[in-house]
Amino acid sequence: MSTVETVDADGGGSLHQRILSDISEKILSGAWAPGHRIPFEHELTTEYNCSRMTVNKALSQLAKAGLIERRRRSGSFVRQPRSQAAVLELHDIRIEVEALGLAYHYERLKRLKRRSNAEDRALLGLSAAGSLLWIEGLHFAGERPFALEQRLINLSAVPEARDEEFSEIAAGPWLIGRVPWSEAEHRIRAMAADESVADALDIDPGAPCLVVERRTWSAEHPVTHVRFVYPAESHTLVARFTPSQG
Amino acid sequence: MSTVETVDADGGGSLHQRILSDISEKILSGAWAPGHRIPFEHELTTEYNCSRMTVNKALSQLAKAGLIERRRRSGSFVRQPRSQAAVLELHDIRIEVEALGLAYHYERLKRLKRRSNAEDRALLGLSAAGSLLWIEGLHFAGERPFALEQRLINLSAVPEARDEEFSEIAAGPWLIGRVPWSEAEHRIRAMAADESVADALDIDPGAPCLVVERRTWSAEHPVTHVRFVYPAESHTLVARFTPSQG
DNA sequence: CGTTTCAATATGTATATACATAATCGCCGT
DNA sequence: ACGGCGATTATGTATATACATATTGAAACG
């Protein structure tokens, strides 16, 4: 018979995900040491009561990620470990500037309340529409622009922000004092300044800039997405690493 | 009829690989700009004359790598920051490139043994003079330069490197297999490409680049200082954080 | 006029199947 | 004892199919 039983239906994630995380867990916890042969595909097929394709996809992904190594006719093996983990502080621009011995001040450029569009939702990681706050501001070191800030605030998560003008105080410090964040993600890249950025930062269009974008969650709720644009000369990020176990 | 026609049989790689690399290429070359909707699965199915599963697997992998974003009912789109989703790990460029479905290869440009000068010692954090190795090489994604590597190796800490040519293997993987590192420091910034960098990476002078510098120690001894220069489009760093206690 | 409902559509995930390919094991003949 | 060769086995890659799910756009409704 050719009926397809869809097994899923558990509250959690997909079977694919479960296999992935189960095996990753065993490897990262050390339960399966490097060199250990993990069960054959057909054994996992039995264990998870699923097809070989499903197991195969999960194992292929682990192989691509470098966690395991696959050998025909022999099976799949736990690879020698790589290290990871970063420590890079949530940077407060005021502190950075003052550490340079310069006077800090902040200036709001724009403030706009509106309903979220698809792009906003992608940036914030929102699933449903809702209202949000869009804020643009400039951080100064002495008389020179130091960084441009462009920020989205999810008003469903932080309704109090609706009444804030953010004309004197930057949204970052304001949020930190109010919303306990549980997680953040940074994306760091280089970019050429476009017209409006160049104008705000008082640099030439096309000049290289460092862009740091941060998304913050509080208990699973997206809170804010902020983009800092620094002229290339004004900023270097520093991060220190130590290898995680062996 | 239920016969399965195996189409493969071309001298090159698999169909999966071909789809992956075709699309990666179009995106990295800029032919498909951010926001552009790439063809629907069923269209690619026709173009490559294959099943939806095959296309789906390739697109899913690109989504995981961060190159595209998939939206139900709407299609798949080129993402804003051309990125790959590897966390700011000890980044192995080969793995990054291969995750995009592109062929990786490395090419050594220069190799020089010399006594350290003041600048070298500053970069490595050395107090006394000594001999070191200066290596410059290019990492390729397909035919396109992906990153320029400039490296100093402290020969007092790694004397075995004296006899290595590093013409085929990059120094990174070589060192990892040999020297247990205990600490590393990263500096990240943006920079305009100068003449020589632009020439090596095949971009315009003045184009924005992301620069990642890493200094590595092994038991208090400086081992190596390496600088990776990425064209702005080819790379985004991603880092995740959770607050250290509260 | 706004809202609710519903069908169409594209992706997400799973199944069963088929055949290719690489590596290994064991048999066999010299 | 040794070298070669074929059978076995595990993974690699593709097909066709089935149904779930999210989102959009248009029709129906109050």
Side-chain angles (χ1 to χ4, degrees):
Chain A
M1 60 187 96
S2 61
T3 51
V4 173
E5 274 185 57
T6 302
V7 181
D8 195 346
D10 65 326
S14 64
L15 192 47
H16 180 88
Q17 276 301 315
R18 219 178 88 220
I19 298 175
L20 258 185
S21 57
D22 281 4
I23 295 179
S24 299
E25 238 295 301
K26 289 215 177 74
I27 294 176
L28 293 178
S29 73
W32 288 347
H36 179 259
R37 209 211 75 219
I38 76 176
F40 294 127
E41 291 187 352
H42 70 262
E43 295 176 298
L44 292 171
T45 280
T46 315
E47 183 177 340
Y48 287 97
N49 191 32
C50 67
S51 78
R52 189 168 78 86
M53 269 304 295
T54 304
V55 169
N56 181 284
K57 272 180 69 175
L59 292 189
S60 298
Q61 189 175 326
L62 283 175
K64 187 151 324 224
L67 268 191
I68 67 173
E69 184 189 336
R70 316 199 69 189
R71 295 189 214 125
R72 280 178 160 150
R73 173 65 217 248
S74 310
S76 306
F77 298 81
V78 177
R79 281 184 53 157
Q80 237 54 40
R82 337 151 297 173
S83 14
Q84 42 184 273
V87 187
L88 200 158
E89 279 120 54
L90 265 199
H91 55 273
D92 183 320
I93 297 183
R94 169 186 287 273
I95 292 176
E96 289 173 22
V97 168
E98 289 177 346
L100 298 174
L102 296 168
Y104 169 87
H105 71 109
Y106 173 78
E107 190 177 296
R108 197 198 70 191
L109 301 178
K110 290 177 196 154
R111 180 185 182 281
L112 197 67
K113 185 155 71 74
R114 66 152 191 262
R115 287 194 75 72
S116 62
N117 59 31
E119 192 190 335
D120 297 334
R121 272 172 281 160
L123 286 177
L124 276 169
L126 279 171
S127 47
S131 57
L132 52 79
L133 214 54
W134 159 255
I135 293 168
E136 196 169 294
L138 259 185
H139 302 264
F140 285 84
E143 295 307 308
R144 288 203 53 80
F146 182 79
L148 174 66
E149 170 176 338
Q150 299 171 323
R151 184 185 290 266
L152 292 173
I153 300 177
N154 178 12
L155 285 177
S156 334
V158 201
E160 315 94 276
R162 197 181 298 264
D163 306 317
E164 265 291 330
E165 279 300 317
F166 299 113
S167 51
E168 297 304 324
I169 184 176
W174 186 90
L175 281 167
I176 284 178
R178 233 149 292 243
V179 186
W181 61 284
S182 56
E183 206 177 346
E185 182 191 271
H186 284 190
R187 304 186 100 87
I188 302 157
R189 60 181 207 273
M191 187 187 84
D194 62 27
E195 278 293 335
S196 72
V197 167
D199 191 52
L201 289 174
D202 192 23
I203 57 179
D204 295 327
C209 294
L210 185 70
V211 178
V212 178
E213 287 176 300
R214 180 165 64 227
R215 249 194 325 180
T216 312
W217 290 264
S218 180
E220 306 294 305
H221 296 293
V223 172
T224 186
H225 174 281
V226 59
R227 173 185 302 155
F228 297 102
V229 184
Y230 301 87
E233 315 78 44
S234 80
H235 205 66
T236 298
L237 294 172
V238 179
R240 273 183 168 272
F241 301 85
T242 38
S244 63
Q245 49 148 266
Chain B
M1 53 182 119
S2 63
T3 51
V4 174
E5 274 187 57
T6 303
V7 181
D8 195 347
D10 66 324
S14 64
L15 192 46
H16 179 87
Q17 275 301 313
R18 218 177 90 220
I19 299 175
L20 258 186
S21 56
D22 281 4
I23 297 178
S24 297
E25 240 296 303
K26 288 216 178 72
I27 295 176
L28 291 179
S29 74
W32 286 349
H36 179 260
R37 209 212 74 219
I38 76 176
F40 294 127
E41 291 188 352
H42 70 262
E43 296 176 296
L44 292 172
T45 278
T46 314
E47 182 178 339
Y48 288 97
N49 188 34
C50 66
S51 77
R52 190 169 77 88
M53 269 304 296
T54 304
V55 169
N56 181 284
K57 273 179 68 175
L59 292 189
S60 299
Q61 188 176 327
L62 282 176
K64 185 151 324 225
L67 267 192
I68 67 173
E69 183 188 335
R70 315 200 67 190
R71 299 195 207 122
R72 280 178 160 147
R73 173 63 217 252
S74 310
S76 305
F77 298 80
V78 177
R79 280 188 53 158
Q80 278 310 329
R82 283 102 159 202
S83 68
Q84 45 68 249
V87 183
L88 198 62
E89 294 170 353
L90 243 214
H91 54 264
D92 184 322
I93 297 183
R94 168 187 286 275
I95 290 177
E96 289 174 19
V97 168
E98 286 176 348
L100 297 175
L102 295 170
Y104 170 85
H105 70 107
Y106 173 77
E107 193 176 293
R108 197 199 67 193
L109 301 178
K110 289 176 199 154
R111 180 184 182 281
L112 198 67
K113 187 154 69 76
R114 67 154 190 261
R115 287 194 73 72
S116 61
N117 58 33
E119 191 190 337
D120 298 333
R121 271 171 283 160
L123 286 175
L124 276 168
L126 280 170
S127 47
S131 60
L132 53 77
L133 215 53
W134 158 255
I135 293 169
E136 195 169 295
L138 259 184
H139 302 263
F140 285 85
E143 294 310 307
R144 187 180 307 280
F146 184 78
L148 174 66
E149 171 176 338
Q150 301 171 321
R151 184 184 290 266
L152 291 173
I153 300 176
N154 178 11
L155 285 178
S156 336
V158 200
E160 316 94 278
R162 196 183 297 265
D163 307 316
E164 265 291 331
E165 278 300 317
F166 299 112
S167 51
E168 296 303 323
I169 185 177
W174 187 89
L175 281 167
I176 283 177
R178 234 149 291 242
V179 186
W181 59 284
S182 55
E183 206 176 346
E185 182 190 271
H186 283 184
R187 304 190 103 86
I188 301 158
R189 61 180 209 274
M191 186 188 85
D194 62 27
E195 278 293 333
S196 72
V197 167
D199 191 51
L201 290 174
D202 192 23
I203 57 180
D204 296 326
C209 295
L210 185 70
V211 179
V212 178
E213 288 176 298
R214 181 166 62 228
R215 246 189 334 175
T216 311
W217 290 264
S218 180
E220 306 297 306
H221 295 293
V223 171
T224 186
H225 175 279
V226 59
R227 173 186 300 154
F228 297 101
V229 184
Y230 301 86
E233 313 80 42
S234 80
H235 206 65
T236 297
L237 295 172
V238 179
R240 271 181 168 276
F241 304 89
T242 39
S244 55
Q245 48 145 288

